[in-house]
Amino acid sequence: MNASTAKPTGAVLAKLKLLLRPHPGWYALLAAVGLALMGTAAIGTVSEHFASLQTTRWLPLGLIAVAITLLPPPRLLGQLSYVLFGVAVALLVFVVLPFVPRSVVPVINGATAWIDLGFFNFQPAEFAKVAFILAVAWYLRHRESHRRRLGLLLPFVLMLVPVGLILKQPDLGTALVFAPALLVMLVAAGAKLRHLTALLSVGVTAIVINVVIILYAPADMQVLAPHQQVRIKAMAAQATGDTQYLQNIGYQQDKAMTLVAAGGFTGLGERSATVVKYNKLPYDYNDMIFAVIVNRWGLLGAVAVFGLYLLLIGSMLLVAARSQDPFGRLVCVGFAGIILTQAVINMGMTVGLLPITGITLPLVSYGGSSLLFTLVMVGLVLNIASQPRRPLARPSFEFENGDAIFQ
Amino acid sequence: MRRRLRQMIPSMFHRRLLLLVLVAIGVLGVLTVQTARLTLASGYDDRRASAQDALFTPQLVPTVRGRIFDRKGRILAEDRPGTEVAVSFEVISGEWAYLQARRAAYVDHRSAWTGMSDAARERLIQSYQGPFDEQVRRLWVTLAEAAEVSPEMLAERRRDIQERVAVLQGFLWQRWRERRSAELGRPVSWDEVTEPIAEQKQAHAVLDQIGPVVVSRLRGFIAEASGDGEAAEALRVWREVVVRPTRQRVYPWSETTVLLETATLPEPLATQFNNEPVAVDVKGVGVHLLGRMRPVYAEDAQRRPYVKEDGTIDLAGYLPGDRVGEFGLERTFEDQLRGVRGRIVRRVDDASVSSNTPTQAGEDLHLTVDISLQARIAAAMSEEIGLMESQGWHAKPGEVENVGERLNGAAVVLEIETGEVLAAVSVPTMPRDLLEREPATLREDPIDLPYLNRVVARPYMPGSTVKPLIVAFAVSSGELGPDEILDCSRGYLWEGSPNVYRDWRVKAGGAPFGPIDAVEALAVSSNTFMGMLAYRLGPERLSDWYARVGLGRRTGSGLPDEISGTIPQPPYRAANRAAVERDNAFIAIGQGPIDWTPLQAVHAYATLARGGVVIPPRFVQADTLTPPDVIERVPLSASALDVALDGMWSSANESQGTTRHLSYLGRAPIWNAEGVIVRAKSGTAQATPLRIDSDGDGRVTRDDPIVKRGNHAWVVALVQPEDSARPTHAIAVVVEYSGSGGQVAGPIVNQVVHAMQAEGYLGGVRGVVGGPR
């Protein structure tokens, strides 16, 4: 009796000990919590209501999710990854189906991106991000095919499935983060840099051509949807001092930049609440939260956010570096890549470097799904970090015949 | 480098991670630099300021538009403060009940909504619509009862508003489409521009000038409706109602009643009225002069924007909801009348006032016009009286084809000493209610052009009315002695062309005038005499004289639609002097390439009567009586003035005069006012028949039917009380497409004289007049 209870207790204790031993994953959690707390304070600046929801509901929920994600062995996750990816794609298909009742998939801000679960609007795209990275990591973990041109293309084709479905919602912002995350994983997995550079330049050329088409081509030659074109036009107009879009499409970015500028070096502090309120910044509690942060805490606040993100992804990459499991390595790199991409796009649009698109600032913005799944990523990184080191592990992603510095 | 890195970090995976970290640092570095620029660089100071500006809310305080007074201090236009009830367009159009029903139906059937067919959805909505329809119905009943107007009147108001918005919408969509198309350089479909216009989102006034009791009652409903609970829900439609202060522009003299003596009218008309005075309701008094107010257009905001290009605010600038003077003096003096709105800026957080710019009321405008005289003349020219109606005796028997047809024209009275216009009537008039309700009917009438202020905006050939001026020019130039006799016994000007340029009596089969002097030539209106003077003066000098007395340029009276008219500029035909001289002979009898407005006519005659002193005619009293620095003078000699005045006197008073008699059954004098000396000159100007573009090809051609024909009839007169040494007033009347000058316009000038006497001018004593309605 005693032995039988002591044994599992001992195992749990051993497992706990393993989980709780010091490793760089904890810095990632620290940075994540830091960002979330800064976010909550910033949300509190503009809405007590959302701030209290964030602290009493979403953050605890997220931390519980972190705890849960610590448990399953990474290998099991890897084995399940294709299934999870399939489920994610199925959910993405579900939300864009035309006959789904609007009571289940409501139209919010013009997009069918959410499933109404009663207590919570669940965003399948956020889940898809996690599943996508798990699946890609599982796929790439023992491969060399991605060092060849054709083999490199296959993951991209795979990526187009969720991206296409998310664009259908439409949610351009979320769709945008998949490609950079994949790119980052391929870099880590040892793909040839000249292949990736070529791919990247194709992508950049496509973007440049699109911008040129939008700005200079006649209306019947346009590729992007009108609401997307006009955002790019608005940004170009803003850059050239043209005020024609300020009252409509350029309004949000203009207000965001104004509030950022008003923050100055140390921020407006308590006064920020009034200033933000009467400047009428739309979505100040989620997509535009960075503007509130800079307005309240100034450049110092911005640098703190940048630092916390650097700490977050730095420690995630450190976990990857210390891990010997190729799947775990790529998962950490993928999560770091996707979080940073999303953060950079969000903050870039707030400070006027990128066109406006609906995308949250991970861990900082208000929002259930986004916060939950970003914390799931942090939790999984912790999980991987807590795996015992295997002294005899086979080295992974080590290829010779280098062609550049980082080869 | 490569080797060292490989030695330092033997694992390729780790080197790649290092690369990713470096990229991350780089990207975050770019963000840091941009954030630092935004937060620290001085180039973004304006953004910092604008963020602070958002903390201050400006509140605008409406101003009062200046009043317009007539020369006797009567109010012609003023802003009348009041309270109006406005209802949102959705309720007026009836859409509100539907939208509310849809909202309610959706709330109750949210889950099934998407699955429903359109028809099922409409049925569901319909089942919800009853109570909302009832709310709207009760709203109108309550409003009608409260304001003590009939429900029908309110319904008509609503229809008017809907119609007006529909017309405006059509107009705006068309214009947006044209603009968009011009912008994009391609045709634009309707779908691209058919957005709701501002008027479809606004509340429109359905009741105005409502009393304080009604105001508080209606405010009660609105307050109740804004609460929560079922009672408020049942009054939901009241959330669409606003009770707001207004300033309505009112024009008290636009309609008035004039008691008109008929005994002084030509006999056929006087008998119709049994020589009894009649009460004439005149509509649209002075509307052409005063103008009206219209909603603000984009053009106004462009001309004077509320927010200027540099971002500063012009409190006198235009904002949606403003009213703008549309034509007439309301438009000319828009900037003076408009006033400047006030602005109070408060901080949003503590409501402290950070700046307060008080309103500036608009300047008042004092006109030279006597509105009562204007009304009397308009009454005499109204359709009831028959002076502006084609009569059998307007020309030779049998020549008038259109007896009974209404005639159009103008009358203007000018005070010679000051150049002040006492009255300026354009027929047809524009009744103000019609102008507000159906402006299109006035604007788009191609035949009668009621919109046109004929006093200043339509050119007419002057005909023989220029003859006194020609005589004065010739005498002043020394080309004609004051008593010089010219032989007109041939009866026509050019030897061998007896039918081209001849005297009217010869044309009518009578004897030539024989040797006559200038006074007699004016009395009998000899063409031949003037033709001879034309040769003596020559085309250049004649043109120059015409210009000096104000032809061919705007008088500067201040009416926005004033035109300049035309004077010939010799040489009219290059290289053929003889032909030019021949043309000149016609120009000397007011035919050919010459035209003027009635205002230019009285201006030229007044200049003559002043002995050459030019005083620009005006409708608005000068603030001070300081004369202009340089008084323009036309070198008319005293003897020239005498000859011209004597000729006009003879024309109006001696038996041979052409501006003396009316011929109907017998002969009767035109002039019958006691104690007034009238000098006058008639003119019968050949007018090109009026055709209108009937086939819609945008051009008027010979294929288009003639809608009006006949001569323009003129009389220009200089009048004075008997005890005055000089003429005191100049009067011009023109009647379009009518008949003989003296026959048609003469009796109207005579009525103008009577009207002036009735108003205390020309030695008359002011009697009973109408007042503003």
Side-chain angles (χ1 to χ4, degrees):
Chain A
M1 194 79 178
N2 266 350
S4 60
T5 47
K7 225 177 167 185
T9 318
V12 168
L13 274 177
K15 173 85 179 165
L16 255 182
K17 221 174 127 190
L18 204 60
L19 272 177
L20 296 180
R21 84 199 147 83
H23 56 70
W26 296 114
Y27 293 114
L29 185 65
L30 187 72
V33 171
L35 285 167
L37 289 180
M38 258 190 110
T40 314
I43 294 165
T45 311
V46 292
S47 164
E48 293 289 336
H49 172 67
F50 284 133
S52 79
L53 275 182
Q54 187 88 334
T55 45
T56 58
R57 190 188 285 180
W58 307 126
L59 261 180
L61 204 67
L63 290 174
I64 291 169
V66 170
I68 293 171
T69 47
L70 284 175
L71 301 177
R75 195 172 164 70
L76 179 68
L77 280 173
Q79 282 158 348
L80 284 176
S81 65
Y82 291 165
V83 177
L84 290 175
F85 185 65
V87 170
V89 169
L91 286 173
L92 288 175
V93 170
F94 177 73
V95 290
V96 296
L97 287 178
F99 50 80
V100 174
R102 289 287 157 255
S103 54
V104 181
V105 179
V107 180
I108 301 177
N109 298 333
T112 53
W114 289 266
I115 296 174
D116 189 349
L117 298 180
F119 70 106
F120 170 49
N121 277 346
F122 168 71
Q123 201 177 354
E126 292 291 340
F127 170 59
K129 285 196 239 173
V130 177
F132 171 71
I133 288 186
L134 292 177
V136 171
W138 190 249
Y139 173 81
L140 287 176
R141 73 193 191 286
H142 293 315
R143 246 170 246 269
E144 251 185 81
S145 60
H146 55 279
R147 287 181 59 79
R148 291 187 300 275
R149 259 187 232 107
L150 273 180
L152 186 63
L153 282 179
L154 191 76
F156 277 95
V157 173
L158 205 72
M159 176 195 83
L160 288 180
V161 177
V163 166
L165 288 166
I166 293 170
L167 281 176
K168 184 88 180 62
Q169 294 178 354
D171 181 359
L172 177 66
T174 307
L176 273 177
V177 301
F178 282 77
L182 177 59
L183 200 70
V184 164
M185 289 171 85
L186 285 167
V187 169
K192 286 189 178 158
L193 288 184
R194 60 188 157 86
H195 291 167
L196 294 177
T197 317
L199 255 174
L200 201 61
S201 33
V202 168
V204 169
T205 314
I207 291 172
V208 168
I209 287 174
N210 245 311
V211 169
V212 169
I213 286 178
I214 285 162
L215 293 183
Y216 301 108
D220 49 1
M221 279 177 57
Q222 295 296 339
V223 182
L224 285 188
H227 77 273
Q228 291 159 353
Q229 292 170 28
V230 82
R231 286 178 191 175
I232 304 223
K233 281 188 193 166
M235 226 188 106
Q238 195 163 41
T240 55
D242 180 347
T243 55
Q244 67 163 321
Y245 291 104
L246 281 195
Q247 287 313 309
N248 42 58
I249 192 72
Y251 177 84
Q252 202 176 352
Q253 194 159 40
D254 180 65
K255 280 295 176 199
M257 288 172 74
T258 298
L259 287 173
V260 167
F265 188 65
T266 54
L268 300 180
E270 293 297 318
R271 285 204 304 126
S272 178
T274 325
V275 173
V276 175
K277 180 176 171 196
Y278 288 100
N279 274 279
K280 300 199 173 71
L281 174 66
Y283 302 108
D284 50 8
Y285 58 95
N286 55 25
D287 291 4
M288 286 291 149
I289 194 70
F290 185 63
V292 179
I293 288 181
V294 187
N295 190 260
R296 180 156 183 185
W297 293 291
L299 180 61
L300 292 181
V303 169
V305 171
F306 299 149
L308 285 172
Y309 274 117
L310 201 58
L311 178 62
L312 177 70
I313 62 138
S315 26
M316 282 171 139
L317 293 181
L318 214 53
V319 171
R322 287 164 51 105
S323 169
Q324 288 142 326
D325 168 24
F327 171 66
R329 283 183 154 188
L330 286 188
V331 166
C332 291
V333 173
F335 287 164
I338 212 161
I339 290 176
L340 187 71
T341 305
Q342 191 171 334
V344 166
I345 292 179
N346 177 288
M347 296 187 291
M349 72 190 190
T350 306
V351 296
L353 290 176
L354 296 169
I356 289 280
T357 174
I359 195 174
T360 55
L361 185 56
L363 300 166
V364 182
S365 285
Y366 176 82
S369 293
S370 166
L371 182 68
L372 182 67
F373 285 102
T374 316
L375 283 173
V376 163
M377 293 180 197
V378 175
L380 288 174
V381 171
L382 275 177
N383 183 340
I384 290 159
S386 65
Q387 296 304 313
R389 293 178 68 83
R390 292 191 202 91
L392 292 177
R394 187 162 61 118
S396 52
F397 315 123
E398 306 295 346
F399 305 105
E400 253 330 310
N401 82 345
D403 52 357
I405 292 179
F406 290 97
Q407 197 58 49
Chain B
M1 167 107 182
R2 183 172 149 190
R3 272 239 308 274
R4 282 196 52 189
L5 190 68
R6 287 192 174 202
Q7 279 167 4
M8 240 161 58
I9 311 175
S11 156
M12 171 176 161
F13 180 67
H14 288 171
R15 287 197 301 274
R16 290 265 166 120
L17 290 184
L18 178 63
L19 172 68
L20 292 175
V21 169
L22 290 178
V23 170
I25 291 174
V27 170
L28 288 173
V30 170
L31 283 178
T32 311
V33 169
Q34 170 72 355
T35 313
R37 274 181 62 211
L38 276 174
T39 49
L40 305 179
S42 60
Y44 296 95
D45 283 345
D46 51 340
R47 284 199 181 275
R48 270 157 228 143
S50 117
Q52 293 297 327
D53 283 351
L55 294 185
F56 296 89
T57 54
Q59 193 187 353
L60 298 178
V61 188
T63 178
V64 183
R65 192 174 176 91
R67 291 168 295 180
I68 303 180
F69 295 94
D70 87 338
R71 70 183 291 119
K72 292 186 175 159
R74 289 172 285 222
I75 292 176
L76 304 185
E78 69 175 329
D79 274 9
R80 200 166 278 175
T83 313
E84 67 177 16
V85 181
V87 178
S88 75
F89 188 74
E90 268 178 16
V91 176
I92 292 173
S93 68
E95 211 184 346
W96 182 84
Y98 175 82
L99 292 175
Q100 293 297 315
R102 192 171 70 177
R103 182 187 54 88
Y106 176 74
V107 168
D108 289 357
H109 301 267
R110 194 193 295 260
S111 51
W113 195 257
T114 331
M116 272 189 246
S117 70
D118 281 353
R121 222 181 275 164
E122 289 303 316
R123 271 199 302 280
L124 185 66
I125 293 170
Q126 242 171 44
S127 71
Y128 275 80
Q129 203 170 333
F132 294 111
D133 281 335
E134 178 59 17
Q135 274 196 41
V136 174
R137 195 190 63 78
R138 273 221 294 269
L139 170 75
W140 295 125
V141 172
T142 314
L143 285 180
E145 276 172 4
E148 292 180 345
V149 296
S150 73
E152 291 77 28
M153 193 225 102
L154 213 51
E156 197 181 320
R157 265 281 168 87
R158 266 143 51 202
R159 265 199 306 278
D160 283 351
I161 293 166
Q162 286 187 64
E163 254 170 49
R164 204 175 61 223
V165 171
V167 168
L168 193 64
Q169 185 194 51
F171 171 76
L172 283 178
W173 283 358
Q174 179 69 35
R175 201 159 64 168
W176 291 349
R177 196 173 162 201
E178 281 159 14
R179 276 201 197 148
R180 252 343 252 145
S181 172
E183 258 173 48
L184 299 174
R186 66 171 170 88
V188 171
S189 75
W190 283 114
D191 288 348
E192 289 175 75
V193 292
T194 46
E195 279 173 39
I197 62 173
E199 279 71 12
Q200 284 166 304
K201 301 177 217 155
Q202 288 168 351
H204 296 259
V206 291
L207 292 171
D208 44 36
Q209 307 294 329
I210 57 173
V213 180
V214 181
V215 168
S216 68
R217 205 176 142 212
L218 298 183
R219 289 228 163 101
F221 279 114
I222 294 169
E224 221 177 305
S226 65
D228 291 320
E230 235 164 75
E233 273 307 304
L235 289 171
R236 196 181 173 87
V237 71
W238 283 89
R239 293 180 195 173
E240 308 291 319
V241 180
V242 226
V243 176
R244 62 190 179 193
T246 55
R247 293 197 167 275
Q248 210 186 3
R249 193 73 167 163
V250 290
Y251 300 91
W253 277 84
S254 291
E255 288 181 25
T256 184
T257 306
V258 171
L259 200 62
L260 199 81
E261 297 289 342
T262 61
T264 56
L265 290 171
E267 204 186 317
L269 300 179
T271 22
Q272 272 177 27
F273 296 107
N274 296 324
N275 292 312
E276 301 282 337
V278 286
V280 182
D281 289 338
V282 263
K283 287 188 157 191
V285 178
V287 171
H288 284 109
L289 294 178
L290 291 171
R292 75 183 270 254
M293 303 303 289
R294 60 158 169 82
V296 68
Y297 296 156
E299 286 81 352
D300 306 306
Q302 265 164 26
R303 181 175 73 85
R304 191 156 187 187
Y306 178 71
V307 180
K308 289 194 277 194
E309 241 166 58
D310 58 6
T312 56
I313 280 172
D314 176 6
L315 287 173
Y318 291 92
L319 284 174
D322 281 3
R323 308 282 291 172
V324 186
E326 183 166 36
F327 60 89
L329 296 167
E330 290 272 30
R331 170 156 151 222
T332 309
F333 294 95
E334 168 70 16
D335 290 348
Q336 289 90 319
L337 286 166
R338 180 171 163 70
V340 183
R341 56 167 74 79
R343 187 169 185 259
I344 299 175
V345 181
R346 287 195 174 85
R347 255 195 90 101
V348 282
D349 31 359
D350 57 4
S352 59
V353 172
S354 75
S355 84
N356 186 351
T357 318
T359 57
Q360 280 171 255
E363 288 169 36
D364 289 342
L365 203 60
H366 294 268
L367 303 192
T368 61
V369 170
D370 182 329
I371 198 69
S372 197
L373 176 64
Q374 173 95 9
R376 275 185 183 281
I377 297 172
M381 294 173 84
S382 70
E383 51 187 307
E384 281 175 78
I385 300 304
L387 287 172
M388 293 295 284
E389 189 178 291
S390 199
Q391 305 287 355
W393 38 269
H394 274 172
K396 269 179 256 152
E399 273 189 12
V400 180
E401 299 167 3
N402 54 345
V403 174
E405 188 179 294
R406 284 175 60 189
L407 301 172
N408 300 328
V412 55
V413 181
L414 182 103
E415 188 175 73
I416 292 171
E417 198 185 334
T418 57
E420 292 180 353
V421 178
L422 296 186
V425 177
S426 179
V427 179
T429 57
M430 287 192 286
R432 229 171 243 289
D433 52 347
L434 196 61
L435 189 61
E436 297 301 329
R437 220 175 47 238
E438 300 170 53
T441 60
L442 295 171
R443 259 170 245 215
E444 288 158 20
D445 178 347
I447 298 172
D448 289 323
L449 306 170
Y451 203 64
L452 208 60
N453 184 358
R454 289 171 156 78
V455 176
V456 293
R458 185 163 220 199
Y460 300 97
M461 241 191 268
S464 299
T465 52
V466 294
K467 285 176 180 166
L469 300 171
I470 299 295
V471 166
F473 298 160
V475 174
S476 301
S477 320
E479 298 295 346
L480 179 73
D483 306 317
E484 193 177 338
I485 288 172
L486 300 182
D487 185 8
C488 297
S489 47
R490 190 161 63 204
Y492 53 90
L493 185 61
W494 293 306
E495 194 158 7
S497 309
N499 298 323
V500 177
Y501 193 109
R502 54 184 168 173
D503 282 321
W504 63 269
R505 206 158 75 189
V506 175
K507 186 183 173 191
F513 294 128
I516 45 173
D517 66 2
V519 172
E520 203 177 346
L522 287 175
V524 300
S525 196
S526 167
N527 286 349
T528 323
F529 194 94
M530 301 303 149
M532 291 180 211
L533 295 187
Y535 275 89
R536 292 186 180 188
L537 283 164
E540 290 77 12
R541 256 200 296 174
L542 180 56
S543 183
D544 187 44
W545 274 113
Y546 271 143
R548 281 164 177 243
V549 294
L551 275 75
R553 64 181 150 134
R554 272 178 258 174
T555 65
S557 68
L559 283 175
D561 35 4
E562 186 172 358
I563 57 160
S564 59
T566 27
I567 42 169
Q569 291 299 331
Y572 327 114
R573 298 185 207 170
N576 187 344
R577 185 67 189 172
V580 171
E581 300 258 355
R582 285 164 82 91
D583 284 352
N584 192 46
F586 281 104
I587 288 156
I589 55 169
Q591 304 277 6
I594 175 172
D595 52 46
W596 65 0
T597 64
L599 186 66
Q600 283 175 315
V602 282
H603 176 44
Y605 269 63
T607 304
L608 173 70
R610 286 184 213 111
V613 178
V614 177
I615 301 176
R618 57 166 187 258
F619 290 91
V620 177
Q621 288 178 25
D623 288 344
T624 52
L625 285 172
T626 47
D629 294 341
V630 184
I631 293 177
E632 216 184 313
R633 258 194 99 96
V634 182
L636 291 170
S637 66
S639 52
L641 175 60
D642 285 346
V643 174
L645 291 187
D646 286 353
M648 289 171 72
W649 186 84
S650 182
S651 173
N653 295 286
E654 290 190 320
S655 78
Q656 57 182 342
T658 54
T659 322
R660 176 167 186 260
H661 283 105
L662 292 176
S663 318
Y664 16 91
L665 294 171
R667 259 155 71 102
I670 294 174
W671 316 106
N672 54 19
E674 297 287 326
V676 179
I677 298 173
V678 179
R679 295 178 177 85
K681 184 71 198 78
S682 61
T684 309
Q686 290 166 14
T688 325
L690 181 70
R691 297 170 195 268
I692 53 160
D693 177 25
S694 59
D695 45 10
D697 62 355
R699 288 173 306 129
V700 179
T701 60
R702 290 207 156 268
D703 301 331
D704 289 312
I706 291 174
V707 289
K708 280 181 193 290
R709 68 169 93 227
N711 296 326
H712 294 332
W714 277 100
V715 165
V716 185
L718 293 172
V719 294
Q720 68 187 79
E722 269 172 356
D723 53 3
S724 172
R726 287 173 295 169
T728 54
H729 295 88
I731 304 168
V733 168
V734 65
V735 182
E736 301 169 4
Y737 305 107
S738 53
S740 165
Q743 298 278 321
V744 183
I748 298 172
V749 174
N750 184 47
Q751 286 305 311
V752 171
V753 171
H754 283 292
M756 290 173 73
Q757 286 194 314
E759 289 299 327
Y761 303 93
L762 301 176
V765 181
R766 204 168 159 256
V768 187
V769 274
R773 255 206 231 147

